[in-house]
Amino acid sequence: MRWTEEQVPDLSGKTFLVTGANSGLGLETTKVLAGKGAHVIMAVRDLGKGERARAGVTGSTELARIDLADLDSVRALAKQLHDDRRTIDVLVNNAGIMMPPRQLSAQGHELQFAANHLGHFALTLLILDLVQERVVTVSSGLHRGGRIHYEDLDGGAKYNPSAFYSQSKFANVLFGLELHRRLAGTTKRSILAHPGYSATNLQTSGPTGGAKLFMRMGNAMFAMPAAQGALNILYAATEPRAASGQFIGPDKFREFRGWPSVVQPDPKAADEADAKRLWALSEQLTDVQLSPADLRG
């Protein structure tokens, strides 16, 4: 049976924090959540774009600024949420960048790894004590074939935009599954999702040259609407049956298209030793660690 937004339960009284909520999958997710009664904290890098996006959302929302490629910005939002004594039912780690020319973050890390993985890793650990129900981490079907380039993490020796995008999305999966293991014995859940091939500005804002043209053509010819791709995120974020450790993605044509279903990650993502190695490295690079108090609940 197709799972659609009609199956999203009443969310009155719940608060969701969605990163990258001003466009694409994040905006579509926000619209449905707010429409079902939730209050949504739209965490965005550009407040002007966020305000314009927010104007088109019906329901209870607010804006919060975060630049996930800048760990100082991540810390600032986490501090603000704690200072305001906020309660967050569900954190949706959605924001991302895709296949830009090689750039470094404010802290000197390869930009895709910094924004897609390190920023979300730090945000999750810094506010996990505020999260009541679940953390949803959005990966991509392109995590398959990815690996962590421990020997050249920032691409200084050999940078390939696609390979390093896959690295960041593979890191999302390793992180989401390791968080699931560390949450064992609590009521909190760590759930992964990917949107299949969904048409958003992600595919055209990062790539350049021929890659950008190819992505633009692919969006027009093959991609699902962003609203349908967002259903996978919504399922992971709201469906009572969604279990910790599950990966939610489309059910048709190699998970490019279709409706939300439980899918399997790349077998390499089941390597717990690799996940622990990445976790320890991420703690080192972000200077953020998980404390026993964060695991309560």
Side-chain angles (χ1 to χ4, degrees), residues 22-81:
N22 62 293
S23 65
L25 298 163
L27 180 56
E28 295 299 334
T29 298
T30 296
K31 288 178 178 178
V32 176
L33 294 174
K36 292 287 186 173
H39 177 71
V40 184
I41 302 171
M42 301 173 65
V44 302
R45 184 174 60 85
D46 186 318
L47 290 175
K49 291 181 179 178
E51 194 59 62
R52 290 190 290 274
R54 185 186 177 205
V57 178
T58 300
S60 178
T61 61
E62 66 178 284
L63 287 180
R65 187 183 182 279
I66 188 171
D67 180 351
L68 285 153
D70 184 348
L71 293 170
D72 291 338
S73 176
V74 175
R75 290 180 183 278
L77 176 56
K79 182 178 184 303
Q80 176 187 328
L81 292 168

Side-chain angles (χ1 to χ4, degrees), residues 7-292:
Q7 277 72 59
V8 176
D10 177 52
L11 301 174
S12 299
K14 293 185 181 295
T15 297
F16 290 69
L17 190 155
V18 181
T19 66
N22 62 293
S23 65
L25 298 163
L27 180 56
E28 295 299 334
T29 298
T30 296
K31 288 178 178 178
V32 176
L33 294 174
K36 292 287 186 173
H39 177 71
V40 184
I41 302 171
M42 301 173 65
V44 302
R45 184 174 60 85
D46 186 318
L47 290 175
K49 291 181 179 178
E51 194 59 62
R52 290 190 290 274
R54 185 186 177 205
V57 178
T58 300
S60 178
T61 61
E62 66 178 284
L63 287 180
R65 187 183 182 279
I66 188 171
D67 180 351
L68 285 153
D70 184 348
L71 293 170
D72 291 338
S73 176
V74 175
R75 290 180 183 278
L77 176 56
K79 182 178 184 303
Q80 176 187 328
L81 292 168
H82 279 94
D83 288 347
D84 294 343
R85 300 180 183 275
R86 301 302 294 267
T87 295
I88 298 165
D89 293 282
V90 180
L91 167 63
V92 180
N93 290 323
N94 162 77
I97 57 175
M98 184 180 190
M99 303 182 191
R102 183 175 181 268
Q103 302 173 58
L104 298 181
S105 72
Q107 285 75 34
H109 308 302
E110 189 274 319
L111 198 63
Q112 295 182 95
F113 189 73
N116 298 354
H117 170 62
L118 290 177
H120 282 127
F121 175 91
L123 177 64
T124 301
L125 270 59
L126 286 168
I127 67 170
L128 190 60
D129 60 320
L130 306 179
V131 176
Q132 305 300 300
E133 294 184 11
R134 58 182 96 178
V135 175
V136 175
T137 301
V138 181
S139 183
S140 164
L142 291 178
H143 82 279
R144 292 187 172 83
R147 67 179 182 89
I148 308 302
H149 300 261
Y150 293 106
E151 75 289 351
D152 184 27
L153 194 64
D154 295 333
K158 185 177 181 181
Y159 178 73
N160 177 287
S162 178
F164 276 75
Y165 178 71
S166 292
Q167 169 180 254
S168 71
K169 296 287 99 179
F170 185 67
N172 289 154
V173 179
L174 288 178
F175 165 63
L177 293 178
E178 180 61 18
L179 181 62
H180 156 66
R181 289 187 284 267
R182 295 185 184 222
L183 290 174
T186 77
T187 59
K188 297 177 185 180
R189 288 176 264 182
S190 172
I191 305 171
L192 288 154
H194 82 82
Y197 191 175
S198 299
T200 72
N201 61 5
L202 182 69
Q203 293 99 332
T204 55
S205 60
T208 59
K212 184 171 185 174
L213 177 61
F214 177 79
M215 291 287 187
R216 193 182 300 276
M217 292 173 59
N219 276 7
M221 297 173 63
F222 304 113
M224 296 187 293
Q228 186 169 349
L231 291 176
N232 299 283
I233 302 170
L234 288 162
Y235 184 103
T238 69
E239 171 57 50
R241 295 172 297 173
S244 189
Q246 284 185 334
F247 196 0
I248 309 301
D251 61 354
K252 304 292 184 184
F253 191 56
R254 298 185 179 181
E255 300 171 24
F256 283 9
R257 306 178 64 85
W259 304 90
S261 65
V262 178
V263 299
Q264 298 302 315
D266 188 308
K268 297 193 304 296
D271 186 337
E272 294 188 27
D274 196 22
K276 287 179 170 58
R277 181 182 182 186
L278 175 65
W279 188 284
L281 177 63
S282 301
E283 287 183 331
Q284 175 187 336
L285 296 178
T286 63
D287 195 25
V288 177
Q289 294 184 333
L290 194 62
S291 72

